[in-house]
Amino acid sequence: MYLIVVGGGKVGYYLTKTLVHEGYEVLLIEKDAAKVDTYTERFGAVVMNGDGAEAATLSAAGVGRADVIIAVTGDDEDNLIICQMAKHRFNVGRTIARVNNPKNEELFRLLGIDVTISTTNVILSLIEQQIPELHFVHLLALRHAHIALVEVSVSSASPIVNRTLADIDLPPETSIIAVLRDGKVVIPTGTTTVRPGDDLFAITRRESEAELRDLIVTG
């Protein structure tokens, strides 16, 4: 597998270092010639000096045979251009972009970037998972059709307690896919009754998260 990393900041540096260590064929593209010299001494001939947002640079890097391109510069606009050019001009199968401003993550998805990574949103999700008082945690945003995986803790005051899943009017295109009960995972059916203390894992549309929260947490 051939992977191209664009952007030799800390993220690109450590990502390249790890990928090289794991035995992948990797090329790191970095604008700063001084960084390129330093990284070449450390990694060998897997670093290229150039602007990854330019087609000529990507072409010289052999992007046409790359399986994945990973844009991790500190500039969202550059990351978007790099991924779109790789996908639409050079037919790269998989594009991954770092999103520095979380507000841009949705735009990247709409414009066809396969995977987006927002450090802010990742850290926020991890923080939410560590706060027991939070009953509704956004775990993961999936790349297709604005789908999200969420975890909802059911309190004794929740209006869905002692009701079966079939009797609960969930938001459109929302499914409860697992129930964590007494430390054990239960794959639910329509006859599964919700109990206080259950942790429900649901797949839902991003725009339905608030409605699902209101249904289970606040009533």
Side-chain angles (χ1 to χ4, degrees):
M1 176 176 286
Y2 179 38
L3 305 99
I4 295 177
V5 178
V6 182
K10 288 185 178 178
V11 174
Y13 171 81
Y14 285 109
L15 179 61
T16 301
K17 183 179 181 180
T18 302
L19 291 170
V20 169
H21 180 72
E22 294 292 329
Y24 288 99
E25 181 185 6
V26 185
L27 180 69
L28 170 63
I29 300 175
E30 166 57 35
K31 288 182 183 178
D32 187 329
K35 284 186 177 178
V36 171
D37 290 341
T38 301
Y39 295 169
T40 300
E41 289 180 4
R42 297 175 183 176
F43 302 144
V46 299
V47 189
M48 174 180 171
N49 185 211
D51 184 351
E54 294 180 353
T57 301
L58 292 180
S59 180
V63 70
R65 69 176 187 86
D67 299 288
V68 182
I69 189 159
I70 309 164
V72 291
T73 77
D75 188 301
D76 283 357
E77 185 177 351
D78 280 354
N79 292 339
L80 179 60
I81 291 171
I82 292 162
C83 287
Q84 286 208 300
M85 191 158 41
K87 178 174 279 294
H88 299 297
R89 182 165 179 174
F90 295 100
N91 299 314
V92 175
R94 194 78 167 161
T95 54
I96 301 173
R98 171 187 177 188
V99 181
N100 299 284
N101 183 344
K103 291 183 178 178
N104 291 335
E105 195 166 22
E106 184 67 17
L107 174 64
F108 275 49
R109 290 198 190 95
L110 290 173
L111 292 176
I113 308 305
D114 296 304
V115 178
T116 58
I117 302 170
S118 166
T119 306
T120 303
N121 286 337
V122 169
I123 293 174
L124 177 62
S125 178
L126 291 173
I127 291 172
E128 288 178 338
Q129 292 175 49
Q130 300 306 314
I131 301 176
E133 291 78 10
L134 284 179
H135 294 286
F136 190 98
V137 177
H138 175 97
L139 295 175
L140 182 67
L142 306 180
R143 68 187 178 92
H144 292 296
H146 318 295
I147 301 297
L149 173 65
V150 300
E151 176 184 358
V152 193
S153 297
V154 180
S155 72
S156 57
S158 171
I160 69 168
V161 164
N162 297 325
R163 294 170 60 185
T164 66
L165 292 182
D167 291 334
I168 300 170
D169 188 16
L170 294 170
E173 300 180 86
T174 297
S175 295
I176 306 298
I177 59 172
V179 178
L180 183 61
R181 176 177 293 164
D182 299 328
K184 297 181 180 179
V185 175
V186 176
I187 304 302
T189 66
T191 61
T192 300
T193 300
V194 178
R195 299 177 185 171
D198 282 351
D199 289 324
L200 308 181
F201 294 86
I203 293 288
T204 185
R205 288 191 175 275
R206 298 287 298 274
E207 58 267 28
S208 297
E209 284 188 47
E211 184 180 350
L212 183 63
R213 179 191 295 109
D214 291 344
L215 172 68
I216 299 178
V217 178
T218 60

